[in-house]
């Protein structure tokens, strides 16, 4: 569950059960996330700050650095800092075409990744991501391919993004919902095919994507393979 807070039509923060409290700062743009899990088993504390953040004239993020800290009771309570950077490229219509990701921590763990996005007529066709651990612990190659019903006018995207666009851990979905990684797909796909090679797996599967709209034409429920995966709620906005 994620709750979003808005001011003047822009996301300014919120809370997620997955990654805790988040804040979107402006002037200059920055993101802060912090979570403290009161658990006897893990006692996990995590903080991360994305700063500096550089944006293109269109308002899309093209580069950002992040620094953070993880601390777990299971790890002797020792704080373990980490850092990294992300860069992104876009096409002339404002769709993301490539994202590069790098992360390392004080224990020598380093991870790099690249995701490539292809688009046609404003619709996302494929997402191809490659992630590798620099100490050769694993390599992972994933491909998402989307199919569309171009005759169904109800398939026009009423303002959601697809979870498959977020390929790397820690690049939280609120950055996508704020529109800072560029435009999302024009239509909601009818199917998504997932292929994975590496990291101990080699598999492929295709799922149908269905949705239910609210009377205002906003998405209410998004299902994968007949299973409701996401539900959405909205607050009323009065416009002059």
């Amino acid at each position: 569950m994620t709750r979003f807070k808005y001011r003047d039509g822009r996301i300014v923060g919120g809370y997620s059960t997955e990654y805790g409290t988040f804040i979107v700062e402006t002037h200059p743009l920055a993101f802060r996330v912090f979570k403290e899990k009161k658990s006897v088993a893990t006692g996990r504390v995590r903080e991360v700050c994305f700063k500096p953040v550089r944006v293109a004239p269109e308002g899309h993020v093209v580069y950002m650095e992040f620094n953070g800290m993880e601390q777990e009771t299971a790890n002797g309570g020792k704080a373990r800092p980490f850092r990294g950077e992300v860069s992104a490229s876009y096409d002339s219509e404002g769709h993301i075409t490539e994202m590069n990701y790098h992360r390392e921590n004080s224990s020598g763990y380093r991870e790099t990744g690249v995701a490539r996005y292809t688009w046609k007529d404003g619709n996302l066709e494929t997402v191809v991501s490659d992630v590798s651990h620099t100490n050769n612990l694993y390599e992972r190659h994933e491909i998402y391919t989307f199919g569309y019903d171009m005759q169904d006018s109800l398939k026009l995207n009423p303002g959601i993004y697809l979870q498959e666009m977020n390929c790397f851990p820690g690049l939280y979905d609120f950055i996508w919902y704020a529109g800072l990684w560029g435009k999302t797909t024009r239509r909601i796909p009818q199917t998504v095919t997932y292929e994975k090679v590496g990291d101990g797996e080699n598999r492929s599967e295709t799922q149908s994507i269905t949705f239910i709209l609210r009377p205002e034409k906003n998405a209410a429920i998004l299902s994968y393979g007949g299973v409701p995966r996401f539900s959405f709620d909205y607050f009323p906005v009065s416009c002059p």
Side-chain angles (χ1 to χ4, degrees):
M1 181 276 296
T2 303
R3 292 193 179 101
F4 300 94
K5 293 181 180 179
Y6 293 82
R7 184 182 300 121
D8 299 327
R10 295 180 178 273
I11 291 177
V12 296
Y15 175 80
S16 167
T17 53
E18 179 181 1
Y19 47 77
T21 300
F22 59 90
I23 299 171
V24 179
E25 301 178 350
T26 56
H27 309 299
L29 181 62
F31 313 110
R32 299 181 185 274
V33 183
F34 50 92
K35 180 176 185 178
E36 184 172 353
K37 187 175 183 180
K38 301 292 187 178
S39 168
V40 176
T42 63
R44 185 176 188 183
V45 178
R46 191 172 194 272
E47 300 177 3
V48 58
C49 176
F50 296 85
K51 185 180 181 179
V53 179
R54 295 204 300 263
V55 297
E58 298 78 15
H60 305 146
V61 172
V62 294
Y63 177 82
M64 63 184 184
E65 299 176 6
F66 59 90
N67 291 273
M69 180 273 293
E70 292 177 317
Q71 186 175 8
E72 296 186 5
T73 302
N75 192 32
K78 183 179 179 181
R80 184 172 57 188
F82 61 89
R83 64 164 303 277
E85 57 185 9
V86 186
S87 62
S89 303
Y90 302 84
D91 63 20
S92 60
E93 296 181 350
H95 297 109
I96 190 168
T97 56
E98 183 171 306
M99 180 183 291
N100 290 275
Y101 167 85
H102 171 77
R103 183 182 188 273
E104 60 184 64
N105 66 20
S106 58
S107 299
Y109 174 101
R110 291 188 294 169
E111 186 178 65
T112 59
V114 58
R116 296 180 176 88
Y117 306 79
T118 60
W119 303 79
K120 183 179 180 181
D121 299 326
N123 296 310
L124 181 61
E125 286 196 314
T126 62
V127 179
V128 181
S129 70
D130 289 278
V131 180
S132 63
H133 189 288
T134 53
N135 293 339
N136 297 319
L137 291 182
Y138 62 80
E139 292 186 355
R140 185 169 66 248
H141 179 70
E142 296 176 298
I143 303 173
Y144 297 93
T145 305
F146 303 93
Y148 295 88
D149 181 358
M150 302 302 289
Q151 305 302 317
D152 189 349
S153 62
L154 291 179
K155 290 284 186 178
L156 289 175
N157 184 359
I160 62 171
Y161 91 102
L162 301 173
Q163 64 173 3
E164 295 84 3
M165 297 174 73
N166 195 10
C167 296
F168 306 122
L171 300 185
Y172 305 107
D173 57 6
F174 68 85
I175 302 178
W176 291 95
Y177 278 112
L180 296 172
W181 288 129
K183 294 181 180 180
T184 188
T185 186
R186 181 170 176 264
R187 293 176 178 267
I188 298 178
Q190 186 178 26
T191 61
V192 56
T193 299
Y194 170 65
E195 300 173 68
K196 181 177 181 179
V197 179
D199 199 14
E201 294 186 63
N202 190 345
R203 63 189 177 96
S204 175
E205 62 181 68
T206 299
Q207 289 186 326
S208 61
I209 300 179
T210 57
F211 66 97
I212 298 174
L213 291 179
R214 294 163 56 93
E216 300 86 358
K217 304 301 183 183
N218 292 323
I221 299 175
L222 190 68
S223 300
Y224 281 70
V227 179
R229 189 77 61 84
F230 298 96
S231 62
F232 303 87
D233 200 5
Y234 304 82
F235 65 88
V237 176
S238 58
C239 299

